Amino acid sequence: MTQPGPAHGVDAVSRAFADALARPLRGAALRAMAGQLKPQAFVAAAPDRLVIAATFAHAAFLAPDEVAETFDAFAEGWLGGPIGAPPIARLDRPPETAPEGLWAAYWEVVEDARAGRLDAGAITMRTAALGGMMPAAFQARLCLASHAYAGVGAAADAGWPARIELAGLAACPPGSLGRRFHDLIVENGFDLEVLDRDAIGLTRLPPPLGYLNARILQAHDLWHIVAGYETTALHEVALSAFQMAQFGHSYSAQFLAVAAGVAAVGEPAGFGVLMDMIATAWAHGRQTPPLMLVAWEEVWREPVETIRARFSITPYASPFPPDLFEQSGAAA
């Protein structure tokens, strides 16, 4: 394996990342390392941080069926207790081979993000481009892995979701989910379904990946509202961990692997914040019933509190102020 590493990094950092990719931490070893890092997270040495980043990257890019096992073990070690959700089985197969140029492209994204050369939209597109490098074998493995998450098969069997219309949301009563969703979209200038499903070729993805990606694009901001995540930089990171815990969302896993790489080669304080957000939001997602099964269109007119009670959804308890990055000027 070619040793990947940050362009500005020392050899020890590069070796730590490459070694962890080749021998990713699992189970008790990952729990132990996460538990050891937690007390010193804000001063942890770069090689130790790179081990965690590489462990995340291994699952995200080489073995998507290991995402749940990896993040369960990490969160249990970091939070100091069991995750409180049934385990999600992984496939019994070796990791995939990384496509040519993947790790060089990964480090280019990490370096550009660390240097503040990318805004949120650019990070999204660059991370999606990394996912686009993955071969057919990865997609096939991801399809199999997705069925291990509760509710995925039943949700996909219901057929492709209808497009959401802004006019229908505007007609909902004040305080309802539909009206709050409408106001969030309009007041922030968001796109209703984030990206056009046809333009990005979701219909060409093998099932259930097409459905899952189409539904989360149109439900992402709904999950913000119902699950209690604000539309700040820090909570976008947290919601990615929540989405990943809910249905193994591949883009979220790859985005968090990039974010962990940025934090690993940046200031240690940022690493500590990121790991706290990932661990707590992952646990929140694992402990929340599958939101993919909720027919949002049938509850537009109901208050959010009523919907939370009906589906046993507890709002996210953020360990940091949601606008921490914006307050500190560190959002870049």
Side-chain angles (χ1 to χ4, degrees):
M1 177 184 296
T2 301
Q3 286 201 351
H8 71 289
V10 296
D11 289 343
V13 170
S14 181
R15 284 197 301 272
F17 188 87
D19 289 347
L21 276 175
R23 293 179 292 276
L25 293 177
R26 292 194 178 100
L30 180 53
R31 280 191 292 272
M33 182 163 193
Q36 292 166 5
L37 275 179
K38 174 65 181 290
Q40 55 176 329
F42 294 91
V43 295
D48 290 337
R49 289 182 265 141
L50 258 296
V51 170
I52 297 298
T55 298
F56 290 178
H58 179 276
F61 293 102
L62 303 182
D65 54 295
E66 295 181 18
V67 161
E69 182 183 86
T70 296
F71 282 86
D72 274 356
F74 166 76
E76 287 172 352
W78 192 268
L79 299 176
I83 202 69
I88 296 174
R90 64 184 177 92
L91 304 175
D92 185 17
R93 62 172 65 179
E96 302 300 320
T97 300
E100 185 69 28
L102 173 66
W103 299 121
Y106 169 89
W107 281 111
E108 286 176 4
V109 178
V110 167
E111 282 294 316
D112 286 345
R114 185 191 66 85
R117 293 190 287 266
L118 303 178
D119 60 15
I123 291 174
T124 298
M125 297 306 295
R126 294 278 295 276
T127 302
L130 294 177
M133 297 176 67
M134 306 312 297
F138 177 90
Q139 294 286 5
R141 185 168 181 157
L142 186 57
C143 288
L144 292 174
S146 67
H147 284 286
Y149 290 80
V152 164
D157 287 345
W160 279 75
R163 296 183 185 275
I164 299 171
E165 300 294 336
L166 200 60
L169 299 177
C172 294
S176 66
L177 173 62
R179 179 64 71 82
R180 287 184 59 175
F181 186 32
H182 170 275
D183 293 347
L184 177 68
I185 296 299
V186 172
E187 291 171 5
N188 291 280
F190 293 162
D191 292 324
L192 189 57
E193 296 199 3
V194 184
L195 296 170
D196 185 273
R197 64 180 76 168
D198 296 326
I200 60 176
L202 295 188
T203 56
R204 296 192 295 272
L205 290 178
L209 300 185
Y211 170 86
L212 293 174
N213 282 282
R215 190 56 164 167
I216 196 56
L217 282 174
Q218 67 177 191
H220 173 84
D221 289 314
L222 280 173
W223 289 20
H224 265 290
I225 296 168
V226 176
Y229 293 83
E230 298 190 22
T231 55
T232 61
L234 197 61
H235 272 210
E236 289 292 354
V237 169
L239 187 58
S240 292
F242 180 89
Q243 291 175 169
M244 187 171 62
Q246 282 274 300
F247 65 102
H249 191 213
S250 184
Y251 168 81
S252 291
Q254 292 166 359
F255 167 70
L256 291 178
V258 169
V262 175
V265 297
E267 294 299 324
F271 177 81
V273 170
L274 181 71
M275 295 300 113
D276 269 347
M277 298 303 294
I278 290 175
T280 54
W282 169 265
H284 183 221
R286 292 280 278 122
Q287 295 159 7
T288 299
L291 300 190
M292 276 290 174
L293 290 175
V294 178
W296 302 108
E297 297 83 354
E298 297 177 6
V299 296
W300 284 145
R301 303 181 69 82
E302 296 184 16
V304 171
E305 293 73 18
T306 301
I307 295 168
R308 286 174 176 165
R310 178 186 300 182
F311 297 106
S312 301
I313 303 168
T314 301
Y316 177 56
S318 181
F320 298 98
D323 61 347
L324 177 66
F325 285 175
E326 287 79 4
Q327 287 182 14
S328 66

